[in-house]
Amino acid sequence: AQSVTQPDIHITVSEGASLELRCNYSYGATPYLFWYVQSPGQGLQLLLKYFSGDTLVQGIKGFEAEFKRSQSSFNLRKPSVHWSDAAEYFCAEVGGGADGLTFGKGTHLIIQP
Amino acid sequence: DGGITQSPKYLFRKEGQNVTLSCEQNLNHDAMYWYRQDPGQGLRLIYYSQIVNDFQKGDIAEGYSVSREKKESFPLTVTSAQKNPTAFYLCASSRRLAGAYNEQFFGPGTRLTVL
């Protein structure tokens, strides 16, 4: 069965430091990959997506992600985090079937002053 | 503005009562989805619909029902058969179900508390 793994349940980063959130997907062929962000009590907002082409994709709010087929990874990065980046982050993929998105369990990002 | 609306934002019900959560979209999307979110569980798919008058069970459909009589609307009923209905419910839509068209747009969510 298709699965998305986000190994880190919680991550704490100091404001201004760099960030990397890990995501591993399972679908072996060309996946369609997404990162979403969720503020407390809110819906999910799309940060960025990868369908094909350049393996480094840019998103909103200064985020980027790199697709690495050899590692089945799609890690999210930001060079300098802001206190407003504190939120829950979800990685998701669409595989070959017609059954929609598969989400990881999320990574909770805490920003230290 | 195009988007997805869910109402109400907060909902309280007594145990044993059915309750219906509203989801409306004006994005002209064909596909719509309902997810349940519990702390530490991520998002779990309840039901999805690709077109009007058609819907499919997701991973945790037991105790829930849906209808899709109009393209814009996909209401979710939480029935008394759902053993643990207290959760945050998210509705989403996408242009299509498959592949690159499955960029999903989410509503703000409804928090259901069963007393």
Side-chain angles (χ1 to χ4, degrees), chain A residues 79-92:
Chain A
S80 176
V81 297
H82 185 262
W83 64 266
S84 61
D85 293 324
E88 191 85 18
Y89 291 80
F90 293 96
C91 181

Side-chain angles (χ1 to χ4, degrees), chain A residues 4-50:
Chain A
V4 174
T5 304
Q6 294 181 245
D8 304 304
I9 298 174
H10 300 279
I11 281 189
T12 301
V13 178
S14 297
E15 190 169 15
S18 63
L19 170 70
E20 182 168 32
L21 302 183
R22 296 183 291 164
C23 172
N24 292 99
Y25 64 91
S26 66
Y27 186 63
T30 304
Y32 299 101
L33 298 164
F34 304 83
W35 273 101
Y36 286 87
V37 62
Q38 183 183 33
S39 297
Q42 303 296 318
L44 275 68
Q45 181 184 22
L46 181 70
L47 283 176
L48 48 78
K49 59 192 176 189
Y50 171 78

Side-chain angles (χ1 to χ4, degrees), chain B residues 3 11 15 21-22 60 64 66 69 78 80 92-93 101 107-108 112 115:
Chain B
L11 192 53
E15 197 169 337
L21 282 59
S22 168
I60 55 164
Y64 298 98
V66 293
E69 296 177 2
V78 184
S80 56
S93 70
Y101 296 109
L112 172 64
L115 304 171

Side-chain angles (χ1 to χ4, degrees), chain A residues 9 32 34 36 38 41-46 49 51 88 90 94-95 97-106, chain B residues 9 33 35 37 40-43 45 48 50 88 90 97-109 111:
Chain A
I9 298 174
Y32 299 101
F34 304 83
Y36 286 87
Q38 183 183 33
Q42 303 296 318
L44 275 68
Q45 181 184 22
L46 181 70
K49 59 192 176 189
F51 292 161
E88 191 85 18
F90 293 96
V94 178
D99 57 358
L101 283 174
T102 299
F103 284 88
K105 291 189 186 269
Chain B
K9 188 168 178 62
Y33 314 80
Y35 293 92
Q37 186 176 25
Q41 296 282 336
L43 276 72
L45 183 64
Y48 63 98
Q50 297 188 63
F88 190 54
L90 286 160
L97 188 65
Y101 296 109
N102 205 307
E103 176 181 336
Q104 293 187 18
F105 294 79
F106 284 81
R111 184 165 299 280

Side-chain angles (χ1 to χ4, degrees), chain A residues 69-85:
Chain A
R69 186 186 299 279
S70 62
Q71 299 177 17
S72 296
S73 69
F74 188 56
N75 294 348
L76 182 71
R77 301 196 294 245
K78 187 169 185 178
S80 176
V81 297
H82 185 262
W83 64 266
S84 61
D85 293 324

